Amino acid sequence: MSERRTSDDPVNSSLSRVRSAREPRVSSQIQREVMQLILDRRLRAGAPLPTETELMESLGVSRNSVREALKALQALDIVEIRHGYGTYVGQASLTPLVDGLTFRTLAQQGDDTGALAEILQVREVLEEGLIRRVAGALTDEELTRLETVVARMDEAGRAGRPFPELDREFHELLYASLGNALVPQLLGAFWTVFRRVSGVRGWTDDPTPDVTVRRHRDIVVALRARDVEGAQKAMADHFRGIEARAAQESRGVG
């Protein structure tokens, strides 16, 4: 008569651990294979993917495994599942990065300032390097556009209106001449995280709009003078101001 193994049996426990350890690897492998399929077929964003049945056959896995992998890829914006229509190649945007950074910052248990400072430091290093690239290449027309945005900031500030979107527009315009599609996406990601955290914590839009306007104007003045070092310094001063405002808000100082 064969002996029945209980849940406490060490052999059963060992097999269970092996299965548990194997399953995540299998799921991640299927995800990689789906991504490789997209790359091999050179499918663009919005292009339809093979059906679940076709993926099951080509990958040699179950329907549940395919669905699990597609859901995980949907969370990364690599695929888009349109119920009733099928699955399509996603935009591969930075939305997952934004969501992850926002959660990470808010989860710092009372240390928002430290977490935000880390994000601002990364953005500052990025922008100080980028501004050196564009400082000598911006055309008079591009500089005029930047000056117009600063003037609109000034007008909004004097009228008591917040102008976060104008701030974002300024920075996107500043580096548009690079022709690098990733730059505005990265800057936008950091900007969105900052705005989300500010909104959750109830921080004011800008307690010193006149100073914010002046710091943006200083950047344009240096660029207009083709002063690379001055533009970089003005950008650094701008970020010091953001960091100081965040620290004040976190302490409840208006």
Side-chain angles (χ1 to χ4, degrees), residues 139-149 224:
T139 65
D140 288 339
E141 183 180 354
E142 288 167 335
L143 288 167
T144 299
R145 286 181 194 154
L146 289 169
E147 288 167 341
T148 299
V149 175
R224 178 71 79 177

Side-chain angles (χ1 to χ4, degrees), residues 12 32 41 72 98 117 133 136 139 148 160 175 188 223 234 247:
N12 261 345
R32 289 194 296 272
R41 298 190 183 184
V98 171
R133 290 262 185 125
T139 65
T148 299
Y175 308 113
L223 290 170

Side-chain angles (χ1 to χ4, degrees), residues 29-252:
Q29 181 179 357
I30 296 170
Q31 292 172 43
R32 289 194 296 272
E33 290 176 0
V34 172
M35 289 189 288
Q36 191 60 51
L37 180 149
I38 293 172
L39 295 174
D40 290 344
R41 298 190 183 184
R42 302 191 178 192
L43 300 177
R44 300 291 184 181
L49 282 177
T51 64
E52 285 185 355
T53 301
E54 290 170 337
L55 287 173
M56 288 167 54
E57 292 175 355
S58 64
L59 301 178
V61 295
S62 68
R63 186 178 300 276
N64 283 341
S65 294
V66 168
R67 287 181 175 176
E68 181 182 350
L70 291 178
K71 285 180 181 178
L73 292 174
Q74 180 176 232
L76 297 173
D77 200 21
I78 292 173
V79 306
E80 178 187 358
I81 300 173
R82 303 176 191 173
H83 296 289
Y85 294 93
T87 305
Y88 298 79
V89 179
Q91 298 295 322
S93 69
L94 297 184
T95 299
L97 172 66
V98 171
D99 292 341
L101 283 176
T102 300
F103 177 80
R104 179 181 182 277
T105 304
L106 292 172
Q108 293 301 306
Q109 299 297 327
D111 189 25
D112 292 334
T113 306
L116 275 179
E118 292 175 352
I119 293 172
L120 288 170
Q121 284 169 6
V122 172
R123 183 180 159 190
E124 180 181 351
V125 169
L126 179 63
E127 292 214 43
E128 283 191 39
L130 289 172
I131 201 166
R132 294 190 72 88
R133 290 262 185 125
V134 300
L138 287 169
T139 65
D140 288 339
E141 183 180 354
E142 288 167 335
L143 288 167
T144 299
R145 286 181 194 154
L146 289 169
E147 288 167 341
T148 299
V149 175
V150 173
R152 289 164 59 199
M153 284 182 178
D154 191 23
E155 180 183 352
R158 291 176 186 277
R161 299 192 308 270
F163 47 83
E165 292 297 338
L166 289 173
D167 195 335
R168 180 172 183 166
E169 182 181 350
F170 177 91
H171 289 269
E172 289 183 352
L173 276 174
L174 185 56
Y175 308 113
S177 63
L178 292 173
N180 186 326
L182 185 58
V183 167
Q185 291 181 41
L186 279 173
L187 296 181
F190 293 131
W191 184 90
T192 300
V193 172
F194 189 89
R195 297 300 303 172
R196 282 187 182 180
V197 173
S198 298
V200 170
R201 295 304 185 221
W203 296 349
T204 55
D205 286 288
D206 188 351
T208 56
D210 55 329
V211 175
T212 299
V213 170
R214 176 171 55 78
R215 286 187 169 131
H216 283 85
R217 184 176 288 118
D218 288 345
I219 294 171
V220 182
V221 168
L223 290 170
R224 178 71 79 177
R226 307 300 178 185
D227 181 357
V228 178
E229 298 300 329
Q232 191 172 30
K233 180 182 181 303
M235 183 63 75
D237 290 343
H238 171 46
F239 277 99
R240 297 294 179 272
I242 299 175
E243 291 170 2
R245 289 206 324 260
Q248 284 183 339
E249 293 282 4
S250 68
R251 295 194 300 267

